[in-house]
Amino acid sequence: MAPSALSNGYMKVVSTVRKGLCNGRCRSVEFRKEQLRQLKKMYTDHKEDFIQALSKDLRKISLLILVQMHLSILGVSDMPHLIGNSIDLAFLIPFDKSIIYNEPYGLVLVLGAWNYPMQLSMLPVHGAIAAGNAVIVKPSEVSPATADLMAKLLPQYIDKDCYQIVLGGVKETTELLQNRFDYIFYTGSPGVGKIVRDAANQYLTPCTLELGGKSPCYIDDSVDLDMAVRRIMWGKMVNLGQTCIAPDYLICSKRMQGKFIDKSKQILKEWYGENPKESESLSRIVAERHVDRLASLLESGTIAHGGKYDKESRWMEPTILIDVPLDSKVMKEEIFGPILPIINFENYVDAMEFINKREKPLALYLFTSDKELQNSFLTNVSAGGVCINDTIFHAGSPNLPFGGVGNSGMGSYHGKYSFETFTHKKSVLSRSYNGLIEKAMKNRFPPYTPGKQRFL
Ligand code: NAD
């Protein structure tokens, strides 16, 4: 078959299954259980067929085939656990000890980003050390003062044989990635995340990718406006918008838009004064080229508030954009700066559809007291994490794993989840030299005489 014909064939299959996924049936718990029961039934109904097929393919001798079938049918496989009627397996392996042994991966490479340079380099290091790994950490070259300080201090405080810090940019990171690591933990942009993953693939090294993207913020007409605007604007303006989970754009009704802008103007003035450029409470953009990049995004809509910037002092005023076409530049790339575009949908179903047509976000923000709306978003929209009626705070909870999904990343960390991330769960079955077990299980040993099958 010609490759194109083959890929077209597969395209059809993929689109069929994706449609099935989209109609949501496979989300129902009862549906899932039913499918598993059906599989179990299939094994029972076609036991003989399977035995013959296995025998033909692999020349399995009859007893082993039977064992295999029994394992599937009688529930030694994981199906009863999945359906919910788990049975105790101890009757098959008496006196055995099952142990999950927490094993460190080995040598971990941590690559940090610049926007929270200490935290993004050191939090993964804490987890890797706690789990028993050796670590090489490379902070971002874009925040050199913090990187230099870390390079100076870390060797004074932690073991130099097990933990090393290296400095450098793209060239050095590229060179570093040619080495073999046992785990790579990367924080940064999705584009570089792909480069890191490619490098990891060379040795099949597992990795966590903490990436970014556009995090939507939905606000309905039912909120406490003053509180909601303060929480949204704080999340947007902290570090002048250079936060991976900053609300990237706002979705609301036309009616809410006017109220939101009026309230924002009042609050921004209260926080940063008449001349926000002089405010001590606003950070700076990390580099001049990013000021240029952000300035070009202002052309995507009408400036409803702010819009001033100064390349030399790497500053941009908190800015709100309206009349933003959905396919404009500001709605395509991650903003990573103090610009908040507002787009309008009159109902939340359309808003969910819009979000779902794009890459899966790192964070999703919902400002609403409507439980049905909250549940609908939670059920139908995939995101790395969700914060309801506030911004950023979900990333601060040690009880919650922090990480992305799809284009916003893979894997997670924070609190005990950092330990989990850097730990391989090694399964250990420990068996004694108990003569009774040996006698009970003697039928497993050859020769597989017909008489032995009676015991199965
Ligand atoms: P970046 O991808 O440019 O750089 C991150 C790291 O990758 C740095 O250590 C850098 O030296 C290295 N690097 C850069 N280019 C490379 C290349 N070609 N080959 C090998 N290594 C390379 O990211 P950034 O600009 O530092 O950070 C901004 C991005 O990171 C945004 O997308 C933001 O959303 C995301 N981010 C995510 C999180 C998170 O926790 N998920 C946190 C902060 C930032």
Side-chain angles (χ1 to χ4, degrees), residues 44-256:
T44 316
D45 291 351
H46 294 278
K47 181 175 152 185
E48 285 305 320
D49 297 336
F50 280 116
I51 288 173
Q52 274 183 27
L54 282 164
S55 175
K56 224 174 177 174
D57 286 338
L58 302 161
R59 291 213 204 141
K60 287 218 189 271
I61 42 173
S62 58
L63 185 78
L64 285 186
I65 294 166
L66 275 177
V67 169
Q68 201 156 326
M69 292 307 298
H70 278 255
L71 288 180
S72 302
I73 295 159
L74 293 180
V76 180
S77 74
D78 55 0
M79 200 167 287
H81 296 263
L82 298 176
I83 295 177
N85 308 311
S86 101
I87 51 169
D88 190 356
L89 306 188
F91 76 94
L92 267 183
I93 39 178
F95 311 114
D96 288 348
K97 246 197 229 159
S98 298
I99 304 157
I100 298 171
Y101 192 92
N102 286 324
E103 180 180 79
Y105 276 102
L107 175 54
V108 171
L109 174 66
V110 174
L111 298 172
W114 55 264
N115 54 333
Y116 292 87
M118 269 298 279
Q119 180 193 329
L120 297 176
S121 294
M122 291 312 294
L123 273 185
V125 170
H126 299 172
I129 292 176
N133 299 276
V135 188
I136 294 175
V137 53
K138 193 204 78 71
S140 171
E141 72 283 11
V142 181
S143 36
T146 316
D148 286 347
L149 183 66
M150 283 164 59
K152 188 176 139 202
L153 294 181
L154 281 183
Q156 295 175 29
Y157 285 84
I158 54 176
D159 189 283
K160 290 195 270 298
D161 289 336
C162 296
Y163 316 114
Q164 285 277 328
I165 176 163
V166 296
L167 299 181
V170 176
K171 183 172 161 286
E172 291 76 10
T173 314
T174 308
E175 202 181 309
L176 197 57
L177 284 169
Q178 282 164 11
N179 293 280
R180 186 176 196 137
F181 297 96
D182 302 306
Y183 202 96
I184 299 178
F185 190 104
Y186 168 80
T187 303
S189 57
V192 178
K194 288 175 189 167
I195 297 174
V196 171
R197 196 164 182 224
D198 272 350
N201 276 349
Q202 195 187 340
Y203 298 109
L204 290 179
T205 301
C207 46
T208 294
L209 302 177
E210 293 286 344
L211 310 178
K214 293 183 82 62
S215 298
C217 178
Y218 180 85
I219 178 169
D220 76 359
D221 295 357
S222 74
V223 295
D224 176 323
L225 189 66
D226 187 80
M227 229 188 276
V229 174
R230 281 176 198 279
R231 292 174 182 184
I232 293 168
M233 278 304 175
W234 172 77
K236 183 71 187 181
M237 296 312 158
V238 68
N239 210 26
L240 211 57
Q242 300 163 111
T243 303
C244 56
I245 46 170
D248 187 274
Y249 61 95
L250 190 80
I251 308 178
C252 65
S253 66
K254 271 259 186 240
R255 208 173 72 86
M256 171 51 93

Side-chain angles (χ1 to χ4, degrees), residues 214-217 232-233 236-237 247-252 257 260-261 297-298 300-304 319-326 328-344:
K214 293 183 82 62
S215 298
C217 178
I232 293 168
M233 278 304 175
K236 183 71 187 181
M237 296 312 158
D248 187 274
Y249 61 95
L250 190 80
I251 308 178
C252 65
Q257 176 173 296
F260 184 91
I261 293 170
L297 298 182
L298 297 178
S300 293
T302 308
I303 295 172
T319 297
I320 299 174
L321 279 188
I322 54 170
D323 307 327
V324 180
L326 299 182
S328 60
K329 201 170 163 203
V330 79
M331 289 307 296
K332 278 192 178 142
E333 60 181 68
E334 182 180 359
I335 296 170
F336 227 54
I339 304 171
L340 184 69
I342 304 182
I343 58 170
N344 304 121

Side-chain angles (χ1 to χ4, degrees), residues 254-270:
K254 271 259 186 240
R255 208 173 72 86
M256 171 51 93
Q257 176 173 296
K259 292 196 275 182
F260 184 91
I261 293 170
D262 290 345
K263 190 47 104 179
S264 297
K265 285 182 177 181
Q266 176 214 318
I267 287 168
L268 291 171
K269 194 167 154 192
E270 185 190 311

